[in-house]
Amino acid sequence: LERIISDSGEISSEDFRIDTKLGVSVSYEGSSKEEGYLSAGYKDLASLCARLALIDIMYEKQKPLIILDDPLTNFDEDKIDMALELIEELSEDKQILYFTCHDSRAKK
């Protein structure tokens, strides 16, 4: 997911912080902003990052089933393409069910 964040050019993945309650904040222009200041797309991106990180931490040896129910709704076209590539990469060693209701968020 770092690639999706970093390739946007606006915010680096290093600017994001996730606390123990999975609350997200971002350092931007010298100050820390809570999740409420983020756009809907960045909120969804941070949420997806947190969920995937939590899965990696909780299941080091096991490979759980991951269900993604239209997590890319608020992503712009470039982020959708990168996220779909990431989901495809993750599916090489994880079982992922990805649901979407719109062709623009489906693998092309």
Side-chain angles (χ1 to χ4, degrees):
L1 289 172
E2 180 174 338
R3 180 178 46 208
I4 300 170
I5 295 169
S6 298
D7 284 355
S8 71
E10 300 166 20
I11 300 174
S12 165
S13 62
E14 310 234 336
D15 296 328
F16 281 89
R17 299 285 177 256
I18 300 174
D19 63 27
T20 56
K21 295 181 181 181
L22 297 180
V24 176
S25 62
V26 63
S27 296
Y28 184 70
E29 295 184 349
S31 66
S32 181
K33 305 288 186 190
E34 297 301 316
E35 186 175 331
Y37 287 95
L38 298 174
S39 68
Y42 273 116
K43 285 180 191 176
D44 286 354
L45 180 57
S47 175
L48 183 59
C49 289
R51 285 184 279 162
L52 293 174
L54 190 59
I55 289 168
D56 282 346
I57 291 168
M58 290 178 63
Y59 301 97
E60 291 180 27
K61 295 179 182 168
Q62 300 172 340
K63 302 293 183 192
L65 170 67
I66 300 171
I67 300 173
L68 301 174
D69 186 8
D70 220 354
L72 313 179
T73 303
N74 294 309
F75 283 29
D76 61 32
E77 191 172 315
D78 290 335
K79 284 188 182 68
I80 287 172
D81 291 341
M82 288 186 282
L84 289 173
E85 286 177 23
L86 175 68
I87 291 168
E88 188 171 340
E89 286 175 29
L90 292 174
S91 72
E92 291 175 9
D93 70 335
K94 294 174 175 59
Q95 186 175 12
I96 299 175
L97 295 179
Y98 173 76
F99 297 96
T100 185
C101 61
H102 199 275
D103 287 342
S104 69
R105 296 183 298 275
K107 185 69 178 160
K108 296 166 177 95

